[in-house]
Amino acid sequence: MSVYKKIAICIISLFLFVILVNIGLNYWIKKQLPIIIDQKNKTAYHINYEKIEVSLWSRNIYAQTLLVHPKNQLENSKTKTGIFSKIESITIKHFNIWDLAFRDIIQAESITINKARVILYKKDEKLINNRKSIKTEIIEPFRKIIAVSNIYLNEGSVDVVSLKNDKPILSIKNIILKLEGILISDVTLKQKIPMHFEKYVLICDSLYYKPNAFYHLNIGKISTENNFLRIRNFSYLPEFNRKEFVQKLDKEKDIYTIKLDSADIEKMDWGFKNERFFFKANSIVANHVDANIYRNKIPKDDLSKKYLYNALLRKIKFPLQIDTIQILKSKLVYEEEIDFSKGPGILNFDHFNMQVTNLKSGFGLTKTPDVKIKVNCQFMKTSPLNVNWSFNVLNQKDSFHIQGTISNFNVVAMERFTKPYINTSFTGKFNKYHFNFYGNDNSAKGNATLDYEDLKVKLFKKKDREKEAKLKTAVANLLLKNDSGDKSKKADVELDRIPEKSFYNFLWRSIAESLKKILI
């Protein structure tokens, strides 16, 4: 027999041997996988699949139509509790044959999950009751079945449903997720985030979340990658109409309705350090915010102390730092009414732009620059309003400085607020009003100047709000100085703070005090 024939026979024999080994290992692994997934599955969940294929050449595993459900779920039970999932397919790439054959674990480079629908049925309306259960009941047990460096999820969805009312607490649709450079170890499992990863990408088409009984939020699209986050079409809306909402309140409280077109967070860094959460960002930019704040005076007063913003930021028990916040091309409306009989008084702030710099929580700091806030907008749709406000988070007296200017203000525009609220309307013009106040948690002092002309007041009857109370109007106009003359009128202001009222009430009282001194 020639040398060439011997070589050919050896190659063919080796090739046949490899094929037989591949067939044998494929057969053995296919038998072993169900044992790992079922009999040696120490998780709280059953995993069933319709079809599974294994390729030793490419070291890939492909599974089709997977179902996941709790082991303790009774077959005849009509009420579902726990996590249920249906997955169209899973591809595991470059698995370690040795680990699968001898360690009963699927160790691989990556897993790709396609069209996974996950539903968590909860007995209450809390999104998460025990954060440690995610670690102990899901991540740690599944780690003993499969360990990968990269996870890819395509077209996923997650729903958390309350069994109390069969309504969603959380719903996320069309999720695309990439987690790369994953590390899960005994050390990471003891940490707040039970895994480490080098890179992440998350995109989803829609998110619904109900944080409490009074509000829900919607986000049209979320995309985040490492240190960047973008959201589109955000809304934070009440669950009830105003009358229903007010009836459910024990104490007087603002009702918020907030919408925005987009928001971007740049150079974001977050996580846990020494078991404490931290969040930092270079900038947050929100575009076309439409915010409405409504307050009804029917509920009894909330007599708890209202802290100023210095103290509120100081009370945050983790490092928070946002270098710049910008709110652009936005709108703010404040409404207040005594009851539902007259309609609310309305204050409009259109073309609203705000910039905040050096926002920090103060946690762990001994020195920090002032928080500075600049606002420019159109007040009551007609008049330019500019405000500059600053305070230091670490100042224990909660000191602040605020000044602002409103120009070319036709006071007729205030009728939308004054007529329903104090049964009064005005005519005339504020050519320029400027205020400059220094304050703290106890008091405020400062001054204001006003250049105005042709100011007149009209009072209306209590029982017929459309009819003028002529005698009262005449008396009021006799007391009123209807013109500032050749130069602006100035007034000094000194005012004690009401601790049960907000900063904005404090500011409004200071402004009102200055106007009273100038006009009467």
Side-chain angles (χ1 to χ4, degrees), residues 183-201:
L183 172 65
I184 302 176
S185 65
D186 292 337
V187 175
T188 66
L189 285 169
K190 294 176 182 178
Q191 297 172 356
K192 296 283 187 179
I193 300 176
M195 67 170 74
H196 291 173
F197 43 83
E198 294 175 0
K199 296 179 181 179
Y200 71 91
V201 175

Side-chain angles (χ1 to χ4, degrees), residues 146-408:
I146 183 167
V148 296
S149 299
N150 307 306
I151 295 175
Y152 304 103
L153 171 63
N154 299 316
E155 297 182 64
S157 70
V158 175
D159 293 280
V160 180
V161 179
S162 170
L163 293 172
K164 280 188 174 182
N165 53 24
D166 202 30
K167 291 183 178 180
I169 304 167
L170 174 73
S171 180
I172 312 174
K173 303 299 181 186
N174 199 20
I175 304 168
I176 297 172
L177 174 66
K178 296 179 183 179
L179 286 176
E180 296 180 342
I182 298 169
L183 172 65
I184 302 176
S185 65
D186 292 337
V187 175
T188 66
L189 285 169
K190 294 176 182 178
Q191 297 172 356
K192 296 283 187 179
I193 300 176
M195 67 170 74
H196 291 173
F197 43 83
E198 294 175 0
K199 296 179 181 179
Y200 71 91
V201 175
L202 172 64
I203 300 170
C204 62
D205 275 356
S206 67
L207 181 147
Y208 167 90
Y209 176 46
K210 188 170 182 284
N212 52 53
F214 291 95
Y215 290 95
H216 68 269
L217 67 84
N218 287 289
I219 301 176
K221 187 171 184 178
I222 302 173
S223 55
T224 180
E225 181 175 355
N226 297 330
N227 59 1
F228 174 77
L229 172 67
R230 171 172 291 165
I231 65 173
R232 294 286 182 268
N233 300 322
F234 171 95
S235 63
Y236 183 71
L237 305 174
E239 284 284 297
F240 314 102
N241 64 42
R242 287 178 174 178
K243 285 188 177 181
E244 292 172 334
F245 204 116
V246 170
Q247 287 172 358
K248 294 178 181 294
L249 294 177
D250 295 327
K251 297 177 181 179
E252 191 178 299
K253 198 172 187 179
D254 290 335
I255 301 174
Y256 297 96
T257 302
I258 302 171
K259 300 177 182 179
L260 62 88
D261 285 354
S262 67
D264 293 342
I265 304 178
E266 299 271 4
K267 296 184 180 179
M268 175 179 64
D269 186 20
W270 62 275
F272 289 87
K273 187 176 182 180
N274 299 326
E275 296 295 300
R276 192 177 294 277
F277 178 75
F278 69 89
F279 180 89
K280 296 181 180 180
N282 178 259
S283 71
I284 298 177
V285 181
N287 291 287
H288 297 104
V289 179
D290 186 350
N292 181 284
I293 303 171
Y294 171 84
R295 174 164 289 215
N296 193 290
K297 308 297 284 186
I298 290 176
K300 64 182 181 181
D301 289 341
D302 179 2
L303 297 178
S304 62
K305 179 179 172 64
K306 308 302 184 296
Y307 291 95
L308 300 183
Y309 286 96
N310 320 52
L312 291 173
L313 286 167
R314 205 165 50 243
K315 286 176 177 289
I316 296 174
K317 299 302 181 184
F318 64 86
L320 169 68
Q321 178 181 328
I322 305 169
D323 295 337
T324 305
I325 300 174
Q326 287 183 291
I327 298 175
L328 304 174
K329 299 176 183 178
S330 297
K331 176 183 178 182
L332 171 63
V333 177
Y334 178 75
E335 301 182 60
E336 186 173 304
E337 61 183 330
I338 298 170
D339 52 36
F340 292 105
S341 63
K342 298 179 181 180
I346 301 173
L347 297 176
N348 293 91
F349 303 85
D350 292 286
H351 306 290
F352 186 92
N353 296 282
M354 181 171 75
Q355 182 181 64
V356 183
T357 55
N358 305 321
L359 185 71
K360 295 182 180 181
S361 64
F363 180 84
L365 299 178
T366 56
K367 187 178 180 180
T368 184
D370 288 351
V371 178
K372 294 184 178 180
I373 302 169
K374 293 183 178 180
V375 174
N376 65 80
C377 64
Q378 290 285 322
F379 179 58
M380 301 303 284
K381 300 184 180 292
T382 60
S383 306
L385 171 62
N386 295 281
V387 176
N388 287 281
W389 173 19
S390 63
F391 58 86
N392 195 286
V393 173
L394 300 180
N395 186 287
Q396 296 296 319
K397 293 182 179 180
D398 296 334
S399 300
F400 65 86
H401 176 216
I402 188 166
Q403 59 180 327
T405 303
I406 185 169
S407 305
N408 301 319

